[in-house]
Amino acid sequence: MEPTAPQRRVTIVDVARHARVSVTSVSKVLRNAYGASPEMQTKVRRAIEELGYRPHAGARGLRGQTYTIGVMLPDIRNPFFPEILDGVTDSLEETDYQVFLGPGCNGEKAEARVTEAMIDRGMDGLVLVAPVSSRAHLEHVAGAVPTVVVGRHGSSPAYDTVADDDTEGAALVVRHLVGLGHRRIAHIEHHETDPTRLAEMPNARRADGYRQAMRVHGLEEFIDVISTSYSQEGGHRAARELLGRPAPARPTAVFAGADIAAMGVLDAVAEAGLSVPGDLSVAGYDNTTFAAYGPISLTSVDQCGQEMGRNAVRLLLERIADRARPSTKVILSPRLVARRSTARFAE
């Protein structure tokens, strides 16, 4: 049997002939350029749909725009990051932009590989979620392509930032637990040693917010921080350490810096034959979808990941349109969502 000849790719010339307009008119519609009347747009888009035309990304890149946006997520297993992605994709739904994902894997080398690959492929802009790379690398990336950094504090004239008020979020948790009568409140933080990341990353801000809030409530002597990782395994390991102490030294409440770590705490409590909140109140951070799940009912801080994603897209499109505009820093206000995993401390 003779091999089937490959189907010829539909071109912009084909679209113009089908719509009975000029190639220039089709180009204007594809670029959303000024001068394409509503009638012209209707004719061209109908022809595009009927012919199944798809713009050639490489050719569009040569003309200066590929209508692609790269999003780097540090850990695809953390259920909070898809919330940010939902905000990004929802905001781009009515545009010509397509989102491409890259895993940062919580490491500088992996992040550099992903960001450089996105730059090499001519993406119009990048959204970097909670990057751990140095400020110098982030500014290098932003110098090559419009960039918005999400979930990291600090600022730079080279890129825009969107973050949660993590210090206030931690204070909300401590205030809630103190209001329930708890004094021995432990905090599970994500271990960090790099000076810049200690100043800019959310995990460090939450740990600082916890310490500040404990002092405000006169509980400085009970400050108790376990350094591990924002993962289920990390939360489990920290909880086992806390529960392994003699009863008088155990906390009555635990504030995990991320919901994913709080899940590990819940596992460890169950394994120890104890109950939440009867033996230990547990609170998390992120208000991920599983936090509201009935059997879990986790008290958590909502930092509105979707709103972070929407703000990131707004700033990125503004940056794409005007590379010279001053950088912008957006800080969102968190709120506490109290559920059944926290309860009044029984003396």
Side-chain angles (χ1 to χ4, degrees), residues 49-185:
E49 184 176 348
E50 291 174 352
L51 295 176
Y53 170 72
R54 293 176 58 248
H56 192 285
R60 295 179 89 173
L62 291 174
R63 294 195 297 270
Q65 211 163 358
T66 61
Y67 291 95
T68 57
I69 287 177
V71 178
M72 187 205 70
L73 298 179
D75 183 359
I76 59 175
R77 292 166 296 187
N78 188 320
F80 173 64
F81 296 128
E83 299 281 331
I84 298 175
L85 183 60
D86 282 346
V88 170
T89 54
D90 288 350
S91 296
L92 294 172
E93 189 174 357
E94 300 300 322
T95 73
D96 290 331
Y97 285 98
Q98 179 62 52
V99 173
F100 287 85
L101 300 181
C105 303
N106 287 311
E108 291 192 43
K109 288 185 177 179
E111 284 187 5
R113 184 177 180 182
V114 168
T115 53
E116 294 296 340
M118 290 177 171
I119 292 171
D120 291 345
R121 284 156 179 79
M123 295 191 179
D124 295 335
L126 303 184
V127 175
L128 308 182
V129 179
V132 298
S133 295
S134 67
R135 176 86 63 83
H137 178 72
L138 296 178
E139 291 183 340
H140 161 72
V141 172
V145 62
T147 299
V148 176
V149 173
V150 178
R152 178 162 166 166
H153 297 274
S155 58
S156 168
Y159 52 81
D160 302 298
T161 57
V162 180
D164 173 59
D165 188 342
D166 294 289
T167 303
E168 173 60 19
L172 291 175
V173 176
V174 173
R175 189 180 308 140
H176 169 69
L177 294 171
V178 170
L180 292 174
H182 294 278
R183 294 170 62 79
R184 291 188 177 277
I185 303 168

Side-chain angles (χ1 to χ4, degrees), residues 310-331:
R310 286 191 287 268
N311 274 278
V313 167
R314 175 178 62 81
L315 294 176
L316 187 60
L317 295 183
E318 290 175 1
R319 175 69 60 184
I320 290 172
D322 181 8
R323 292 293 300 272
R325 73 164 178 77
S327 64
T328 301
K329 182 178 182 180
V330 174
I331 300 294

